[in-house]
Structures are given as C-alpha cells and as structure tokens.
Amino acid sequence: MNNNMGSSNNNYDYQPGMIYRNPNPEFVGFWVRLLAVLIDCVILEILTWFSPFNWVAEWILGFIYFTLLPCTAWQGTVGKLILSVKIVDEEGEKISYLRSIGRYLAVYVSAIILCIGFIMIAFNEKKRGLHDLMAGTYVIKKESKLYE
C-alpha cells in the first residue's frame, strides 16, 4: 500500500514527521536588506560617537557586531531584527559562528567587485548575494521556514 497523500506535484511520499523543503519560503530582497544594513550603520555610528575608539577599535566593534549577532537567537543584526528577517543556513537553521565569520568576510568580496555581489540579490530567484552563496546562507522573513 502506497502512503502517498495524493499530491501529484510533490516529488516525495508524505510521511508523518517527515521534514521537507518549504515550497514557498519568503526570501528577503535587495531593498529590505539594504535598509537593514543602513540601520546597522546608524547604530554603529552612534556607538562610535560616544566612545573614544580609534579606527582599529571601530573595525573590531563592527566585526563583533556583524559576526556575533547572526549566530544568536536573533539570527541577524539589529537592523534585521527590526525588519523581522533572519539569516539561516542551507538547512534552515541558525548559522554557526564560523559560518558567520565566513559570511562577513565574503561581504568584502561582494563589495570589492563593484558591488556586483550585492546587486545579485535583486536578480537571484532566492535573493542570494555572492556572500550568501559563498557562505551557504539565506535571508528569509522571520516567520518563514526553509523546511517544514
């Protein structure tokens, strides 16, 4: 007896408790992601106004901010939290700190090639920039899931 629940569009047999790819995850596009980065930049700028940091310390603060927050329960920076989006790995889970560091460094690659790595977000079906492809990450809406 076949346990298929009758949907001919699916390439899998439904089984209770089975984890499968969500057919419609809500990927976050270029403009929302740009707004999140602008919010983050304003936050970091305000922090540096009240701190006697030199440029090296400011870079270290930015590094910690952009690498540590994505691997917390927030799954993103304050800008992403405000806009209700999160960063996930290819399994739809919270990213590790090493993956977060890799993604942060890959952002520089996206920027150094005339920002083409960022522009890719607008034209990619899953709204992934070069840094997302390199790090194996997605940016999705907070309530969305890659897998169900």
Side-chain angles (χ1 to χ4, degrees), residues 93-120:
E93 301 294 326
K94 180 173 65 170
I95 63 173
S96 69
Y97 189 62
L98 286 177
R99 187 178 300 263
S100 185
I101 290 171
R103 186 176 189 274
Y104 177 79
L105 296 174
V107 163
Y108 285 99
V109 175
S110 288
I112 217 163
I113 55 171
L114 305 173
C115 295
I116 291 172
F118 301 122
I119 295 168
M120 287 173 58

Side-chain angles (χ1 to χ4, degrees), residues 54 65 69 82-83 118 127:
N54 62 22
Y65 179 86
L69 290 179
I82 289 170
L83 298 176
F118 301 122
K127 313 270 192 245

Side-chain angles (χ1 to χ4, degrees), residues 32-86:
V32 173
R33 292 173 68 169
L34 178 62
L35 181 58
V37 169
L38 292 175
I39 291 169
D40 293 328
C41 289
V42 168
I43 290 168
L44 286 172
E45 187 63 30
I46 290 170
L47 288 176
T48 59
W49 286 348
F50 299 108
S51 303
F53 293 141
N54 62 22
W55 69 271
V56 174
E58 289 176 8
W59 184 86
I60 292 170
L61 178 65
F63 177 83
I64 292 169
Y65 179 86
F66 285 109
T67 60
L68 188 59
L69 290 179
C71 51
T72 65
W74 289 359
Q75 292 183 271
T77 59
V78 174
K80 285 182 176 53
L81 180 69
I82 289 170
L83 298 176
S84 296
V85 301
K86 63 184 177 180

Side-chain angles (χ1 to χ4, degrees), residues 75 86-95 99 136-140 146:
Q75 292 183 271
K86 63 184 177 180
I87 302 169
V88 296
D89 65 12
E90 292 177 330
E91 285 77 41
E93 301 294 326
K94 180 173 65 170
I95 63 173
R99 187 178 300 263
T137 58
Y138 296 89
V139 179
I140 60 176
L146 283 182

Side-chain angles (χ1 to χ4, degrees), residues 17-38:
M18 185 174 158
I19 297 174
Y20 58 95
R21 186 169 281 281
N22 180 357
N24 300 310
E26 295 183 65
F27 298 107
V28 179
F30 177 82
W31 294 111
V32 173
R33 292 173 68 169
L34 178 62
L35 181 58
V37 169
L38 292 175

